[in-house]
Amino acid sequence: MKVRTEDSYGRSLGRRVRTGGLAALVCLGLGTTALAQVAVPPELSGWLGWALQGQEFRRCPFIAGADPSIAESYRCSWPGRLTLQVDARSGRFAQRWQLYADGWVVLPGNLEHWPIDVRGNGTVLAVVERDGLPQARLAAGDWALSGNLRWSSRPEVLPIALPTELVDLTVDGRRVPDPQRPGGALGLGQ
């Protein structure tokens, strides 16, 4: 039986898997899915929202070795790769986010360099200042965010969401292979 998969770069990989191996993988997948879901009797399912009120973080992935009794031990928002293209007068960004519970996400920029025309899954988003940074409130789910930045002269650094690890930066049409990350920001050069 031929199974077609893709690697992390989206390239197609062809592999042959024996029927027994495939069955074991399916069983393993079903087992982990069953462990991840909480069995709630149908007559109590209507109470789930009430029971989790104020504890919505418990739907989120747990950080191994942390204290399960505190919200900071759960990570409810996971940023994907940030793509940022800047020039002397403007910038454009795009980033995917996975949210396991409703929450706030930090957008590229700050009070001086505010993101504009911000969209989430094609819909215009309201951007507000929280903790001195532009943020948008999103519902749980997968989000594709995009927006623009304007400035009279390009800043040397631009704040980005701290948990963002992967960054594709293009400055004046040239890709920056290893962007500098000073103190929770992204170095844009002189």
Side-chain angles (χ1 to χ4, degrees):
M1 164 187 224
K2 186 168 181 153
V3 177
R4 182 183 169 131
T5 60
E6 294 183 355
D7 68 4
S8 61
Y9 296 102
R11 294 181 296 226
S12 178
L13 301 172
R15 293 188 179 155
R16 297 208 176 267
V17 178
R18 290 187 193 150
T19 306
L22 182 59
L25 288 174
V26 169
C27 289
L28 178 64
L30 291 175
T32 57
T33 302
L35 289 174
Q37 296 176 350
V38 176
V40 177
E43 53 274 356
L44 296 179
S45 64
W47 291 88
L48 191 56
W50 175 80
L52 287 175
Q53 188 172 11
Q55 302 284 312
E56 290 84 2
F57 63 87
R58 297 202 183 273
R59 293 182 181 204
C60 305
F62 178 71
I63 299 170
D67 181 355
S69 66
I70 59 174
E72 291 77 21
S73 297
Y74 298 82
R75 183 131 173 232
C76 294
S77 59
W78 294 81
R81 181 180 302 275
L82 171 64
T83 301
L84 183 64
Q85 300 170 339
V86 300
D87 59 32
R89 299 280 182 215
S90 65
R92 289 181 305 172
F93 69 87
Q95 186 172 25
R96 296 196 67 85
W97 283 81
Q98 169 69 47
L99 275 73
Y100 290 91
D102 297 357
W104 293 94
V105 296
V106 175
L107 301 169
N110 57 18
L111 296 177
E112 186 178 355
H113 306 292
W114 195 259
I116 57 175
D117 305 323
V118 177
R119 295 183 176 272
N121 295 344
T123 303
V124 175
L125 294 178
V127 179
V128 300
E129 180 272 328
R130 288 187 74 237
D131 303 322
L133 295 171
Q135 297 189 33
R137 178 112 174 125
L138 302 176
D142 292 317
W143 289 90
L145 303 181
S146 64
N148 297 302
L149 299 152
R150 303 269 187 263
W151 40 66
S152 56
S153 63
R154 181 176 61 231
E156 290 186 27
V157 295
L158 187 70
I160 62 172
L162 280 176
T164 299
E165 293 292 331
L166 302 174
V167 177
D168 285 338
L169 176 62
T170 303
V171 177
D172 296 327
R174 293 186 180 148
R175 185 176 184 282
V176 178
D178 188 20
Q180 300 299 308
R181 303 282 301 269
L186 184 62
L188 303 181
Q190 300 261 345

